[in-house]
């Protein structure tokens, strides 16, 4: 290994770390899970969708990575405790918890039924709280731990039809700050990754839409969706000791969506069409 490789491994390696992820069988979650395992972590995938979770774990183990799937509904305290207890029994500790599980239903505020509101909030916010609470008890005893919550572009900016989802993700961001404040004394860090508009199987319909896709590209400085692989740098940094002095923050990985997309006309001598 080169000196560069040795240095990067010493900073970013996840060798020996036990990483528990919720809802990791989806597009972004799967990309993160594979990257974490390739960096040396043992990745434990807790998901309500057992078939995709087992398929992901199987593919990873066939590639020589360390992975295992667990049955987990983040709205069920019995299942949460059973999953966490099983992990502790087998591996002895949990070094990193990544709360990925989340759902959405795009409806106007006046159209949202109470049952829809409850379902989104229970998975996206209450599930993060309950999961972090159960794992946090073990991290307290370890006097170490690292929690990474997955927020959203909608925890800072808003799109029409995402009121409940945006409220839940804003809550996740606030909860992250509370964890950081309360648990730093126990050696536990907590941060939030807020992805922008990424291209996944679920979002493909939006990027194929004749008007919504144009509107999105106009809002994003890089004028394109993100690829799942472009999220892994942030999760690797936050999961590793490279981020040992980082806690309580939300990091937007969004291609420049928050800062703004296509600028209005302005004076400049530099025009792309003139530089060919």
């Amino acid at each position: 290994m080169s000196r560069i490789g040795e240095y990067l491994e010493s900073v970013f390696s996840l060798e020996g770390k036990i990483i528990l992820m919720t809802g990791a069988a989806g597009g972004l979650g799967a990309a993160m899970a594979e990257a974490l395992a390739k960096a040396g972590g043992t990745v434990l995938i807790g998901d309500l969708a057992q078939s995709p979770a087992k398929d992901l774990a199987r593919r990873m183990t066939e590639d020589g990575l360390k992975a295992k799937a667990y049955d987990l509904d983040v709205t069920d305290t019995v299942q949460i405790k059973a999953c966490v207890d099983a992990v502790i029994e087998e591996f002895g500790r949990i070094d990193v918890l990544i709360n990925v599980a989340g759902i959405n239903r795009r409806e106007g505020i006046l159209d949202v039924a109470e049952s829809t509101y409850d379902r989104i909030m229970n998975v996206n916010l209450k599930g993060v709280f309950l999961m972090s609470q159960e794992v946090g008890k073990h991290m307290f005893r370890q006097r170490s731990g690292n929690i990474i919550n997955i927020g959203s572009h909608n925890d800072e900016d808003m799109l029409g039809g995402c009121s409940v989802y945006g409220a839940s993700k804003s809550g996740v961001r606030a909860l992250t700050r509370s964890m950081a404040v309360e648990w730093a004394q126990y050696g536990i860090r907590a941060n939030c990754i807020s992805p922008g508009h990424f291209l996944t199987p679920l979002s493909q319909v939006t990027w194929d839409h004749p008007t919504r896709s144009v509107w999105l590209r106009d809002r994003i400085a890089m004028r394109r969706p993100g690829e799942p692989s472009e999220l892994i740098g942030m999760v690797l940094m936050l999961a590793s000791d490279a981020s040992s002095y980082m806690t309580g923050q939300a990091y937007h990985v969004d291609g420049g969506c928050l800062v703004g997309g296509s600028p209005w006309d302005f004076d400049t001598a530099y025009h792309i069409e003139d530089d060919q």
Side-chain angles (χ1 to χ4, degrees), residues 33-49:
E34 292 182 10
L36 292 163
K38 287 177 180 177
T42 298
V43 179
L44 311 175
I45 303 162
D47 206 302
L48 184 62

Side-chain angles (χ1 to χ4, degrees), residues 15 47 62 71 83 168 184 202 217 231 241 252:
E15 190 70 35
D47 206 302
E62 288 175 351
D71 189 23
C83 176
S168 70
L202 288 178
R217 285 186 172 88
L231 194 62
D241 294 337
H252 283 259

Side-chain angles (χ1 to χ4, degrees), residues 86-102:
V87 171
I88 294 296
E89 182 177 356
E90 182 169 357
F91 298 96
R93 61 187 296 113
I94 298 173
D95 298 297
V96 184
L97 168 66
I98 306 180
N99 288 302
V100 184

Side-chain angles (χ1 to χ4, degrees), residues 171-241:
V172 168
R173 188 171 173 180
L175 184 58
T176 301
R177 295 197 297 268
S178 294
M179 292 177 187
V181 168
E182 289 193 21
W183 293 352
Q185 61 185 317
Y186 310 137
I188 302 170
R189 297 188 293 115
N191 288 289
C192 183
I193 299 176
S194 299
H197 302 288
F198 279 74
L199 183 61
T200 67
L202 288 178
S203 68
Q204 185 70 58
V205 63
T206 299
W207 288 106
D208 289 340
H209 195 276
T211 58
R212 291 177 183 174
S213 60
V214 173
W215 186 88
L216 279 176
R217 285 186 172 88
D218 285 345
R219 289 285 298 274
I220 299 169
M222 291 186 176
R223 298 188 61 79
R224 64 173 178 84
E227 295 290 338
S229 60
E230 294 179 296
L231 194 62
I232 64 178
M234 180 60 74
V235 75
L236 288 175
M237 180 179 69
L238 290 180
S240 71
D241 294 337

Side-chain angles (χ1 to χ4, degrees), residues 6-25:
E6 290 177 355
Y7 175 71
L8 291 176
E9 182 175 350
S10 70
V11 174
F12 293 100
S13 174
L14 300 177
E15 190 70 35
K17 290 191 182 293
I18 306 301
I19 303 169
L20 176 58
M21 301 181 68
T22 72

Side-chain angles (χ1 to χ4, degrees), residues 33-34 37 43 45 56-67:
E34 292 182 10
V43 179
I45 303 162
L56 174 60
R58 175 184 51 77
R59 292 197 307 271
M60 291 170 65
T61 54
E62 288 175 351
D63 288 340
L65 305 175
K66 300 174 184 176

